[in-house]
Amino acid sequence: MSTDERDIGDGDRNGASRLLARAAAALSRADRGLAQTIDDFFLPEDARLDDRTRATLTVTLAAMVAAVEGDLRRRAARSLAAAGEGVAVLDRLTGAGLLRDPGLMRELIARTRLDLLADALTTAAPDDAGAPSLLARLTASGDGQVANAALTLMATEGRRRGFLDTGRLSHTELPAELHHRLVWWVAAAILEQLADGDAGRVMADAGLHALGGHDESDRAETAAVRLATTIDPQPAELPALLTHALGDRNLSLFVALLAFALRMDFAVARQLVVAGGDPLWLALRAIDLDRATIARIGLALSNDVDAFADQLDAIVAVSPADARAALSSLALPADLRAAIAALAAAR
C-alpha cells in the first residue's frame, strides 16, 4: 500500500465521503452505547437481569426467530428459489427495535424466570421420596378428561425441557397475538432481501399458512390451565395439590392451580410467583391456605428465607377476605386493567 502523495481523484473523494459517513455512524453508535451503559449502571438490582436469565432469554429469542424463519422459508421456497438464501433476520429485527416489543418481552422474561425458578427447586419433598409425581398420577386418573389433560401437559413440558437442554425450538409456544406479530416481522425481514416481483404475495401466503398452523393449546401454559380447570379442585384439595406440584418442580401446574383458585389469568399468577414477596404471600392467604402450607411454599419460593420466616406470623394474621380485597384488581381482565391504568395516567 502506497502512502506517497498523489493527486486526489473522484474515486478518492467518494471513498472519503463513505469514510466520513461511516465515522459519523460509529460516533452515533458510541453515543447510544454510552447512554445505554449509563442506563444499565443506574438500574436497581431488582430490575436487572441476572446473567443466567439474560443468557437463557437470548437463546430463547434466537430460537423463536429461527423457528419462524425456517418455517417461512420452507413454505416460500416452493415458489421462490431465493427464499432459501441466508439472511440475518434476528440481527435485522433487533436493529429495528421490533423485538423490544413490551408484550413479547414481558412474556419471554416471565416464562424464562419461571423455568429457571423450577430448575432451582429441590426435586421432591422429603415425605414424597420415591412416589410418582403428581402429573404421573393424574395421567393414570380414572377421569378420562383429567388423564388426557395431564398427558398433554406432560408432552408440552417435555418439549420445553428439551429446549432448555438443546437450545432448539420447533414451536414458538407464544400466545396467538404475539406469535402473529413475530411471524409478520420475520416475513418482512425476509421479504426486504428478495428481488422477485412475486415475493410479496408468496411471503404473505407463507405467513398466512404458518399462522393457520399455530395451535395455542399446544403450550405448557395453556395445557396447565386446562388441567387445573379439568381437575376443578375444591378449597380443601388445594394445599396438597399445590405442595405436590411444587415438590415435583412443576411450576406451570402450580401457577395454573393458583390462578384457578384466585380466578385470575395464568400470566398474572405467574408474575406473582416469579416476583415473589408480599403479593405472593397475600395470594396464598387469599385462597385460605393454612400456616404449614404457606410455610412450605414460602421456604421453596422465597428469595430471602430468613425474612420470610420473620414475617410468617404477620402473613397468617391477614384474613383471606382482606387478602382477596388487596389483590382484587389483579383478577380483572387484562384489557380492563390496561384501560384503568391508561385513564389513571391521563388524569
Side-chain angles (χ1 to χ4, degrees):
M1 180 179 66
S2 173
T3 58
D4 295 336
E5 291 187 9
R6 61 182 182 84
D7 292 338
I8 298 175
D10 290 341
D12 297 313
R13 292 189 180 90
N14 290 335
S17 296
R18 289 194 295 272
L19 174 60
L20 288 169
R22 290 198 304 270
L27 290 171
S28 178
R29 286 196 301 271
D31 287 342
R32 289 197 303 270
L34 176 59
Q36 291 164 352
T37 301
I38 293 170
D39 289 342
D40 182 71
F41 177 79
F42 284 103
L43 277 176
E45 283 302 318
D46 58 359
R48 180 175 283 110
L49 292 175
D50 62 85
D51 291 342
R52 191 178 182 204
T53 302
R54 183 185 296 274
T56 305
L57 192 59
T58 299
V59 172
T60 302
L61 198 54
M64 283 185 175
V65 171
V68 173
E69 180 183 358
D71 184 33
L72 290 176
R73 288 187 183 281
R74 283 190 297 272
R75 295 176 188 276
R78 300 167 189 168
S79 302
L80 298 172
E85 297 175 0
V87 179
V89 169
L90 178 63
D91 291 343
R92 182 71 181 98
L93 296 181
T94 301
L98 291 176
L99 297 181
R100 295 173 64 92
D101 178 78
L104 175 64
M105 294 311 298
R106 184 183 301 113
E107 173 67 22
L108 293 188
I109 290 171
R111 192 166 103 179
T112 298
R113 284 178 165 161
L114 191 72
D115 288 342
L116 294 179
L117 179 59
D119 192 50
L121 293 174
T122 54
T123 55
D127 56 351
D128 292 330
S133 71
L134 172 62
L135 194 55
R137 295 198 301 274
L138 290 172
T139 62
S141 170
D143 184 324
Q145 289 185 321
V146 171
N148 287 335
L151 284 169
T152 300
L153 178 56
M154 185 175 286
T156 58
E157 288 198 328
R159 189 169 63 235
R160 184 71 58 82
R161 285 192 299 273
F163 161 70
L164 292 174
D165 291 337
T166 66
R168 292 192 296 273
L169 281 176
S170 57
H171 306 75
T172 66
E173 297 192 31
L174 287 171
E177 181 180 357
L178 296 178
H179 180 76
H180 286 200
R181 287 184 212 168
L182 186 59
V183 166
W184 292 127
W185 292 340
V186 172
I190 296 173
L191 182 59
E192 70 177 9
Q193 302 294 326
L194 302 177
D196 192 307
D198 295 327
R201 184 67 265 162
V202 171
M203 194 55 62
D205 289 342
L208 290 171
H209 282 103
L211 295 179
H214 181 67
D215 183 0
E216 189 166 359
S217 66
D218 195 23
R219 304 172 58 229
E221 295 80 5
T222 307
V225 169
R226 179 188 167 206
L227 178 56
T229 304
T230 305
I231 294 171
D232 190 18
Q234 299 306 300
E237 298 172 310
L238 280 172
L241 287 170
L242 287 168
T243 53
H244 280 86
L246 193 60
D248 294 339
R249 299 195 304 176
N250 193 325
L251 282 190
S252 290
L253 181 54
F254 177 89
V255 170
L257 290 165
L258 185 63
F260 178 86
L262 291 168
R263 299 298 188 266
M264 63 175 52
D265 290 342
F266 179 96
V268 178
R270 179 179 59 190
Q271 189 57 39
L272 289 174
V273 172
V274 299
D278 293 338
L280 176 57
W281 314 145
L282 283 180
L284 300 181
R285 280 303 291 149
I287 58 177
D288 202 10
L289 294 185
D290 58 85
R291 180 190 179 93
T293 303
I294 292 175
R296 192 171 181 181
I297 294 172
L299 290 175
L301 296 179
S302 177
N303 293 322
D304 188 337
V305 172
D306 291 336
F308 168 75
D310 289 343
Q311 62 178 325
L312 182 56
D313 289 338
I315 294 169
V316 177
V318 177
S319 72
D322 286 344
R324 284 193 294 272
L327 298 175
S328 61
S329 64
L330 298 182
L332 298 175
D335 288 343
L336 177 56
R337 284 187 284 111
I340 292 171
L343 289 175
R347 184 174 299 138

